[in-house]
Amino acid sequence: MPVAGPSKAAIAKTPMNGKGSWDLEARLKEESLLLIRDDDIVHEEECLRHPFNLKVWLRYIEKKAEASIDARIFLYERALKQLPGSYKLWKSYLDMRVSTLLEGEKDPETGLRKPLRPLRDREWERVNNAFERALVLCNKFPVIWIEYCSFLMNQNCPTRCRRTFDRALRALPITQHPRIWEIYLKFAKFVGGETCVRVWRRYLKLEPEEAENYVDVLLELDPPRYAEAARVLASIVENPKFVSRHGKTQYKLWTELCDLICDHADDMGTATMDNLVVGTNGEGLGRVEKLDVERVMRSGISRFTDQVGKLWNNLARWYMLRGDWEKARDVYEEAMRSVHTVRDFTMVFDAYAAMEEALLSRAMAELAEQNPEVPNPDALDEVDVDLRLARFEKLLERRPFLVNDVVLRQNPHNVHEWEKRVELWLERDNNQKAVETFTEALQTIHPKKAHGKLQMLWTHFAEFYEKGGDLGKARQIFEKATHVPFRRVDDLAEIWCQWAEMEIRHEKFDQALEVMGRATAPPRGTPAFHATIRYNDETREPQQRLFKSLKLWSFYVDLEESIGTVESAKAVYDRILELKIATPQIIINYATFLEEQKWFEESYKAYERGIELFGYPIAFDIWNLYLTKFIKRYEGSKLERARDLFEHALDKCPAKYAKPLYLMYAKLEEDYGLARHAMRIYDRASRAVSDEDRLEVFNIYVSKATSYFGLTSTREIYQRAVEVLPDRQAREMCVRFADMETKLGEIDRARAIWAYCSQFCDPRMDPEFWKLWHEFEVKHGNEDTFKEMLRIKRSVQAKYNTEVSFISAQLLASRTEAAAAPTSMEDVEAEAKLADERSEMERLEDEAVEAARASRGGGSRVVGFVRATVTEPAPPSAPSEEVNANPDEIEIADSDEEEGEGDAGEMDVDEDVRGVAGVQKREVPEGVFGGLAAQAAAVTEGAQEKLGAKERFKRKR
């Protein structure tokens, strides 16, 4: 390694004379050559061979990464001398030079770093010169400009830094400007003052959407510039195309502007030097020096018509801060006359009342503090205080009317609010204002747009004169109301009804009937024209459709029933039926009215007219009432007529409504007719009613048949019920059927019913049914019947089994039977699983039978069972044969020679029964079998010898 030579400082201090002076340039070159070490020779030679190859220099620089700063600077300078336009070399070189002066990360707010040397050090200027040299050929690279500007920001040279930023913006294309502006704005915020304002104004010409941030910068300056911030905000809100980058609405920006103006009212008179433009189009405020506060606020009020309460309050507050109280009062009054929502009105009124109260309190305080001995021409007197107090009280008194004005401005056709306004005047005993309000309301409200009951407003107007005793005026009001084109016919009918009620209240009955007669009169024209008028035809005026108003006719008929004659009331009812506007209630009222007058046949005619007018299901109620009244009056005296009525009623009756009529019909036959006719009606009912009512009808049918004809007559009923009823209801009916047969002693019939019913009774879903059958077999069955029940249970359970494993096992079993042998391991496993399930079920059955045998002490295997045959118990010497024998095996004789032995071993039925404990005999009622009982007794007496079962079967055959 060569020895290091003298430093640059030593060379600089070496004296130089004319002849023997050192050549400074030569000494510096020699000093620089001393920075090259022996291990750098390879790179040096490569650099000499390829001086313009960037990779060669970069490898050399990477190798010298651990060298001294002077050696690296020397190397970079040599490389840049050969490649002066290389961005990579300049970037690496400048980063290395900057790292010797700054350390740490940049501050995100200011973009500054911590300096390592004082700012007076000449190294700062050397680095600046390096940046300047780099920008000679690399002035289109924004990174170098950014690094240079950031480096200058750390040197407290605002002017030089600002000019460098400007140079960067001039040198770079417009697409690269956002990168420069990002740190330029940080520099402007850091510097502050007029420089910050000027920089931001330039930036807004490029990015006008950043005006909100400019407002924040203006408010953060020292001192803050409130006037200019207000003007910028005014320019924002005047621009309808402006979109806030902070998500603020236009109304939010307006409120911020108003708050800014009102909070700093004294600063709003300051003019800007460049006459800031407020607004972007011809409708804006233009180029102004001072902001017109009232014009700006009124512009916002005209724009936000539904949220103007706060804006009005801010405008009044502006005048209050300036001390112009009368102008503020005028603003409040204008606001209360123009707002359209109760919320805005409440805000304005509360602020207005608070201002008046504050002025009154201050005036009273000043009056109390005045010294009467010291004359003061400007002092307040008691008259001023009284005037302020009266003004405050008047304001509070006007509040209900002002609120009513606000609601009516929202909807001038609101009938309810007009009535509230009339009530306010009537509470203050101002009848003249009440009449004026009625008149104004009726002139303002459009009948087709009325919100509320306009007819009641006319009625209350007439009642106002009625209470005053002026019936003539009230009639005139009603007369005018009858010509109003209301939205609905019922509204017009209400006017006529109210008019008639007014006449009735004053006992003018004839005039009331005359009014209703006028109201129900049809319009001019022929009856054919009247028939074409439909009540719901909105294309016609309500006055033309009024004569078909059911509300009007109902009132008219009630009036005739009360104060008219029977003939007149009947004529009104007939007219209603002719117009075909009657309802079922009208029909019932008509019939009831005639019945009260003892006109029974006429009342029945009214029912029949109503039935013709209405079909089912409406006619059902009329038929029900009609038949009830007819039976109540005539009972059985007119039975044939009653039957005809019922047949007529049931002719087209839907199944849903048939049950009550059939039951009433059957009750009629039971009370006044024949029982067989009643049974026939019940049978018809069981076929005609709906599925929901069929079970109930069958229950009634069975009970009636039992009471009239005995239990045996119900068998056909039960059989048909089981056939037609759904499964769940059929199960219930089967249980009752089997129970009935059991009571009659028909055990086999009952068992057949149980077996039939079992096909739609899932053992898992209907365990109660199988429990009942089990109890039946225990009481009345034997071992074979019990086993048959278990077999049926298993088959039904398999039928209803929806488990995937069971179904798959069945499919695999069928495939196995078709094939000679299993074809796969899966088939073998499925077959084994199916066999296990079957063996498990058989094992459970055997356990149940063995448990029953154990409880009997070795007798029959089921408790209470009667065995089909009596077998001798096995001898004690052969226990193994009993154990190995199949208990379910049936012994069949091999030849005819064993028939005698078989016959000798059998016993008679009576002996078989006596051999079983707990079984009792009872006689079957003779009424069940009729003549069969005597024939059976004769056969029994003729039998002289006891025969076996097989012999009896042969003789019978």
Side-chain angles (χ1 to χ4, degrees):
M1 179 182 292
V3 180
S7 63
K8 293 181 180 180
I11 296 174
K13 293 179 182 180
T14 303
M16 294 182 293
N17 46 26
K19 185 176 181 181
S21 63
W22 290 83
D23 189 357
L24 180 59
E25 184 178 354
R27 292 292 303 272
L28 289 176
K29 184 176 181 180
E30 182 181 357
E31 180 68 22
S32 299
L33 291 176
L34 294 176
L35 297 176
I36 301 174
R37 302 177 182 272
D38 295 340
D39 54 353
D40 298 336
I41 301 300
V42 177
H43 293 283
E44 288 289 342
E45 292 176 353
E46 190 175 1
C47 290
L48 289 175
R49 286 194 300 269
H50 306 286
F52 304 108
N53 192 333
L54 179 60
K55 293 184 178 180
V56 173
W57 289 104
L58 291 178
R59 284 196 296 268
Y60 194 5
I61 292 171
E62 184 179 359
K63 190 265 179 186
K64 301 283 287 186
E66 302 298 332
S68 63
I69 188 65
D70 293 336
R72 285 187 289 166
I73 292 174
F74 172 66
L75 181 57
Y76 272 113
E77 290 291 347
R78 289 172 58 197
L80 291 171
K81 187 176 181 180
Q82 300 296 329
L83 300 170
S86 174
Y87 168 74
K88 286 187 177 182
L89 287 176
W90 278 114
K91 179 65 171 63
S92 178
Y93 180 38
L94 295 175
D95 289 344
M96 186 269 293
R97 296 295 297 271
V98 170
S99 64
T100 61
L101 298 176
L102 299 174
E103 68 174 354
E105 297 293 334
K106 290 183 179 180
D107 188 350
E109 294 292 333
T110 61
L112 302 180
R113 299 167 64 183
K114 182 180 178 181
L116 296 175
R117 297 186 184 184
L119 297 178
R120 295 181 181 180
D121 195 324
R122 296 181 61 184
E123 184 65 21
W124 292 90
E125 190 62 30
R126 294 193 189 100
V127 178
N128 291 341
N129 293 334
F131 273 109
E132 292 292 344
R133 287 189 293 118
L135 291 173
V136 172
L137 295 177
C138 298
N139 54 10
K140 298 301 180 182
F141 295 100
V143 175
I144 297 179
W145 284 108
I146 292 172
E147 293 294 335
Y148 188 21
C149 295
S150 302
F151 184 70
L152 290 175
M153 288 171 59
N154 291 272
Q155 301 180 31
N156 292 335
C157 299
T159 302
R160 184 175 181 179
C161 186
R162 177 176 56 80
R163 290 176 180 175
T164 304
F165 275 115
D166 295 341
R167 287 169 55 198
L169 293 174
R170 288 193 297 268
L172 294 173
I174 190 65
T175 56
Q176 302 291 340
H177 284 195
R179 303 179 66 180
I180 303 299
W181 278 111
E182 182 179 358
I183 59 173
Y184 199 0
L185 295 178
K186 293 181 179 180
F187 163 74
K189 185 177 180 181
F190 175 72
V191 174
E194 188 66 22
T195 302
C196 179
V197 175
R198 300 272 179 180
V199 171
W200 267 97
R201 288 177 183 173
R202 289 175 56 194
Y203 180 61
L204 289 181
K205 294 179 181 179
L206 180 65
E207 296 288 344
E209 293 83 3
E210 296 292 336
E212 286 182 273
N213 295 331
Y214 181 37
V215 173
D216 298 336
V217 171
L218 291 173
L219 296 178
E220 293 175 359
L221 291 177
D222 188 18
R225 300 194 177 190
Y226 298 111
E228 187 164 356
R231 291 179 181 83
V232 175
L233 271 178
S235 67
I236 292 174
V237 298
E238 286 289 334
N239 184 8
K241 298 181 180 179
F242 181 82
V243 178
S244 174
R245 293 190 175 183
H246 299 288
K248 297 180 181 178
T249 61
Q250 285 285 334
Y251 180 73
K252 178 66 175 176
L253 295 173
W254 272 104
T255 55
E256 289 182 0
L257 174 61
C258 295
D259 293 339
L260 179 62
I261 292 173
C262 294
D263 292 340
H264 308 283
D266 298 336
D267 298 326
M268 291 298 109
T270 306
T272 56
M273 297 178 62
D274 57 350
N275 298 335
L276 182 68
V277 176
V278 179
T280 58
N281 49 24
E283 299 179 357
L285 300 180
R287 191 176 298 277
V288 296
E289 294 183 358
K290 295 182 180 180
L291 192 63
D292 190 349
V293 176
E294 183 175 0
R295 183 177 177 183
V296 171
M297 290 192 175
R298 288 187 178 275
S299 177
I301 291 171
S302 62
R303 182 179 300 182
F304 306 100
T305 56
D306 57 340
Q307 303 180 39
V308 297
K310 190 172 183 180
L311 299 178
W312 279 113
N313 288 343
N314 286 327
L315 180 57
R317 182 184 170 195
W318 162 259
Y319 286 111
M320 290 165 59
L321 293 173
R322 298 178 58 185
D324 195 348
W325 302 102
E326 292 299 329
K327 190 68 175 176
R329 189 176 289 110
D330 293 341
V331 170
Y332 279 126
E333 290 290 342
E334 182 183 358
M336 290 190 299
R337 291 193 303 268
S338 60
V339 295
H340 290 81
T341 61
V342 178
R343 183 188 61 182
D344 292 336
F345 170 80
T346 303
M347 295 175 63
V348 172
F349 183 85
D350 293 344
Y352 190 10
M355 185 195 75
E356 293 291 351
E357 186 177 3
L359 291 176
L360 179 60
S361 301
R362 189 174 67 178
M364 296 176 66
E366 290 179 1
L367 183 62
E369 293 175 358
Q370 286 181 4
N371 189 359
E373 297 179 357
V374 179
N376 187 1
D378 298 332
L380 296 174
D381 55 3
E382 295 182 358
V383 177
D384 294 334
V385 175
D386 293 340
L387 180 62
R388 294 172 186 264
L389 181 60
R391 180 181 293 168
F392 182 64
E393 292 177 351
K394 183 66 175 177
L395 176 63
L396 297 180
E397 184 181 353
R398 289 166 52 204
R399 192 181 191 282
F401 293 94
L402 295 173
V403 174
N404 186 261
D405 288 337
V406 172
V407 180
L408 289 177
R409 277 196 294 273
Q410 292 179 354
N411 183 12
H413 308 288
N414 193 331
V415 178
H416 180 65
E417 292 300 326
W418 282 110
E419 291 183 348
K420 287 176 61 177
R421 193 174 186 84
V422 171
E423 292 177 0
L424 291 174
W425 289 119
L426 293 178
E427 290 175 358
R428 290 163 176 76
D429 297 330
N430 195 336
N431 295 333
Q432 182 179 357
K433 285 289 185 180
V435 174
E436 292 177 359
T437 303
F438 270 123
T439 305
E440 182 182 2
L442 296 175
Q443 292 175 353
T444 304
I445 299 174
H446 193 282
K448 302 295 184 181
K449 300 179 181 179
H451 180 72
K453 298 180 179 180
L454 179 60
Q455 69 277 10
M456 297 309 300
L457 185 62
W458 283 98
T459 302
H460 294 158
F461 194 12
E463 289 177 352
F464 173 77
Y465 284 108
E466 180 187 358
K467 293 177 181 177
D470 193 349
L471 290 180
K473 282 283 187 181
R475 292 191 181 100
Q476 291 179 7
I477 297 299
F478 278 122
E479 187 66 33
K480 291 180 180 179
T482 56
H483 296 87
V484 175
F486 290 97
R487 185 165 51 187
R488 300 185 306 159
V489 180
D490 285 347
D491 299 341
L492 181 59
E494 183 68 23
I495 293 293
W496 287 102
C497 294
Q498 293 292 337
W499 190 356
E501 287 183 359
M502 184 191 72
E503 300 293 350
I504 293 172
R505 285 195 295 269
H506 294 277
E507 298 182 356
K508 306 290 184 179
F509 302 117
D510 294 337
Q511 294 184 9
L513 292 174
E514 181 182 356
V515 167
M516 296 309 300
R518 288 179 53 194
T520 55
R524 294 181 180 179
T526 61
F529 171 71
H530 297 161
T532 60
I533 298 177
R534 293 182 293 107
Y535 178 77
N536 296 322
D537 189 1
E538 299 292 339
T539 60
R540 298 182 182 273
E541 293 295 328
Q543 282 76 8
Q544 291 184 341
R545 298 178 283 152
L546 180 64
F547 75 103
K548 288 192 174 182
S549 173
L550 182 61
K551 179 179 181 180
L552 194 66
W553 283 103
S554 298
F555 184 86
Y556 191 12
V557 76
D558 290 342
L559 189 62
E560 287 289 353
E561 289 183 8
S562 301
I563 60 178
T565 61
V566 178
E567 289 76 8
S568 61
K570 187 173 180 295
V572 173
Y573 274 119
D574 291 338
R575 180 59 178 164
I576 293 174
L577 295 176
E578 290 176 4
L579 294 175
K580 297 182 179 181
I581 59 175
T583 62
Q585 188 61 46
I586 293 291
I587 300 298
I588 295 172
N589 293 342
Y590 187 17
T592 304
F593 172 73
L594 294 174
E595 186 179 356
E596 291 175 352
Q597 304 299 326
K598 307 300 181 182
W599 292 12
F600 297 103
E601 291 299 328
E602 293 293 332
S603 67
Y604 299 152
K605 291 181 181 179
Y607 282 124
E608 293 174 358
R609 292 180 66 180
I611 292 169
E612 293 177 0
L613 192 61
F614 302 102
Y616 282 100
I618 299 176
F620 170 74
D621 296 326
I622 302 177
W623 271 116
N624 200 357
L625 189 61
Y626 180 19
L627 295 173
T628 302
K629 290 184 177 294
F630 186 88
I631 295 173
K632 182 179 179 181
R633 173 168 175 76
Y634 292 108
E635 295 180 347
S637 59
K638 295 186 177 183
L639 186 59
E640 290 300 326
R641 182 178 174 184
R643 288 172 177 170
D644 292 341
L645 290 177
F646 274 109
E647 293 296 337
H648 187 195
L650 294 171
D651 185 18
K652 298 180 180 180
C653 181
K656 181 179 179 181
Y657 304 97
K659 188 188 76 171
L661 295 179
Y662 274 110
L663 296 181
M664 191 184 303
Y665 192 6
K667 185 69 168 58
L668 174 69
E669 291 292 347
E670 291 177 20
D671 294 340
Y672 310 108
L674 301 176
R676 57 186 179 83
H677 289 175
M679 294 300 103
R680 187 165 57 249
I681 293 170
Y682 281 123
D683 183 71
R684 289 173 56 191
S686 65
R687 304 173 189 273
V689 298
S690 61
D691 295 338
E692 293 80 5
D693 300 329
R694 187 165 284 116
L695 177 62
E696 184 180 356
V697 171
F698 269 116
N699 291 334
I700 298 174
Y701 190 9
V702 168
S703 63
K704 295 295 183 180
T706 302
S707 61
Y708 288 122
F709 302 103
L711 287 174
T712 56
S713 64
T714 61
R715 283 175 176 160
E716 295 182 359
I717 303 174
Y718 276 118
Q719 291 177 2
R720 197 163 62 82
V722 171
E723 293 175 359
V724 301
L725 289 176
D727 290 349
R728 184 170 296 274
Q729 297 176 356
R731 182 188 63 218
E732 179 183 349
M733 194 61 69
C734 284
V735 172
R736 295 177 56 187
F737 190 10
D739 185 58
M740 185 269 293
E741 294 291 355
T742 304
K743 292 179 181 179
L744 294 177
E746 295 287 348
I747 305 302
D748 293 336
R749 294 175 64 90
R751 184 175 291 108
I753 295 170
W754 286 109
Y756 174 78
C757 183
S758 65
Q759 62 182 334
F760 40 81
C761 294
D762 187 359
R764 294 171 300 178
M765 304 300 295
D766 302 310
E768 187 64 26
F769 168 81
W770 296 96
K771 180 180 178 181
L772 295 175
W773 193 4
H774 182 276
E775 295 176 354
F776 169 80
E777 292 295 346
V778 168
K779 293 180 181 179
H780 308 287
N782 53 36
E783 180 180 352
D784 296 335
T785 59
F786 184 77
K787 290 172 64 176
E788 180 66 16
M789 180 198 71
L790 294 179
R791 185 192 65 77
I792 294 174
K793 184 176 181 180
R794 285 196 304 271
S795 63
V796 172
Q797 190 171 8
K799 173 184 175 183
Y800 285 97
N801 196 342
T802 58
E803 293 182 1
V804 178
S805 60
F806 185 82
I807 296 175
S808 61
Q810 286 183 330
L811 293 175
L812 292 175
S814 62
R815 293 174 183 175
T816 304
E817 293 175 359
T823 58
S824 63
M825 192 64 186
E826 290 78 3
D827 295 337
V828 175
E829 294 178 357
E831 184 178 1
K833 186 174 182 181
L834 180 61
D836 293 341
E837 292 181 359
R838 291 177 177 174
S839 61
E840 181 67 17
M841 296 176 67
E842 293 176 357
R843 185 183 62 81
L844 294 176
E845 292 179 11
D846 294 341
E847 289 180 358
V849 174
E850 292 296 336
R853 175 186 289 181
S855 63
R856 291 271 304 162
S860 180
R861 288 184 292 180
V862 181
V863 179
F865 275 21
V866 179
R867 295 180 59 86
T869 58
V870 178
T871 58
E872 293 294 333
S877 60
S880 59
E881 295 181 0
E882 182 179 358
V883 173
N884 297 327
N886 186 0
D888 298 330
E889 182 181 359
I890 300 176
E891 297 180 358
I892 302 176
D894 295 337
S895 61
D896 294 339
E897 295 176 358
E898 299 177 358
E899 290 181 0
E901 299 177 0
D903 294 341
E906 293 182 357
M907 299 176 63
D908 196 7
V909 175
D910 294 336
E911 296 178 0
D912 191 13
V913 171
R914 287 194 299 270
V916 180
V919 178
Q920 298 180 359
K921 295 174 58 179
R922 64 176 182 179
E923 297 180 356
V924 179
E926 295 181 359
V928 175
F929 300 102
L932 296 176
Q935 184 178 356
V939 172
T940 303
E941 292 177 358
Q944 298 296 330
E945 58 180 357
K946 294 182 180 180
L947 302 176
K950 190 172 183 180
E951 186 64 23
R952 290 198 303 271
F953 179 72
K954 288 182 178 180
R955 293 186 179 185
K956 183 177 179 181
R957 186 173 56 182

